[in-house]
Amino acid sequence: MTIDVRSSTGALAAFLAGILAAVALTNPVRMRWPVTEPQSKIDQWISSQSTSVVVGAIVAVAACVYLQHRGSRRRAWAFVYVGVVVLILIRYVVPEELGLDLLSVLGFAKTIAAGLILGGAVAASWDSRIGRNLLIVGLVSTWLAAQSSTGDLIPVSTSSIGEPAWALLWLTLICAVACAITVDPESGIGKSEPGIAATALAVVTGLAVTQRILSSVIDRQERPSTYSGWLVMIASTIAVLTLTWFCTRKLDATSDSGGFLWAATAVAAAATTVFADLTDRFFLDGDRTSLLVITALAIIAVAFGLTRARHRDRRIAALALLAAIPLSEWIFSGDHELVLLLRIVALGVGTGLLFGSVLPSNPVIGALGLTIPFTALVFMSIGQHDIETVSPTYVRPDPPSTYFQQDTGLRGYVDASEPGAAWQADVSFVIVDATEAPPRSVGTALLMCVVVVASGIALRRRNAVDTPSPD
């Protein structure tokens, strides 16, 4: 059997680019950094991180639009390795002593670079079944697994999951450069109608910005479990569904591929309670499941789902599986490690089945849909617990590197490696009530199930979707 080195390199580059883009765009709200800054500056920093994800998503679609207009596959891979170079520079700079203002700037640079990587990888690999599937597997599985990496106290970085590993950065750079050098000069990227590009840019901007605004409204609720808090969350969810319906109609008018937005919305909603349980793991006693194990399970699950959906429409099975995930919260809590892993597998399989059944042939619509899970900030905000930041705090003299304080069921984490900083009055840390049941458990599960069902109804009312050729 002859091995096509060029195609194999392109597929590997797409897989690595998907992983790297997901690492750079994933930024869960839960953070455990050693910070010694005024509370107002910390709040601005946290707010800028969600905004930077929105910017990265818009850049991803804009980059794909531009590359499809130019029709150059070599230029697409150039976008990927330029984005990787930016991430390498950021990775090199971040370990230095940096203030939150500069970290915010680097955070925007990081997500913009991730947008270039995602947009370039989609444009370069979307017309190849293997490359397209590996890109989706890398992106979605990393998005699923990265949520479990927020438990350990990490050095100050641009996101709550830390910076991409050096090995991932260099491997992606080497593969992207190799693809740009060896690309077939006659192999170009198919161009689409200008109307599709303009509509896709308007849709991603409208959806992402609206999600950011609504999520900030939810985050400002002092007690989300109260009646008024739930009214805000339900109203925000209805607003998101209404806007998604409007956007899909606009996309259908030009490409008949709006169903991919509903699929991505259903996936993001189904993942809400799973992610909330994953970020809770660092409150539990005992060792957590290894991140490598969770990543491997996610990769296998997503790949299995995509494979099963290759020759047959699996939308009903996928939607049923996704709807069952939040409902399982009523029976099992996040304390059950095995059940949590089964949820991750079910989420990966359901995502693969649904995405594989509704994949659009146009790469711009593909890039748009793949950004939805990262910009579903309303669902992420609904799934979070009450988080309270307290200042000032004092710690004992000569403390260990990380000082653990427990008082009336509240757990706090303060970096006290600097003796001088240990006595500063503006030291802030995150505390969470670990004794009460999560306020979102049952209500959030039901709300997210409704979102999945609504998305499923919208999908089932559609005709057969515009799927790419099974080359």
Side-chain angles (χ1 to χ4, degrees), residues 84-101:
V84 177
V85 168
V86 173
L87 293 182
I88 289 175
L89 294 176
I90 294 173
R91 181 76 168 83
Y92 179 78
V93 171
V94 164
E96 302 296 330
E97 293 294 333
L98 301 176
L100 295 186
D101 292 335

Side-chain angles (χ1 to χ4, degrees), residues 288-302:
R288 297 185 305 275
T289 302
S290 169
L291 177 60
L292 293 178
V293 173
I294 294 178
T295 303
L297 287 175
I299 290 175
I300 294 172
V302 177

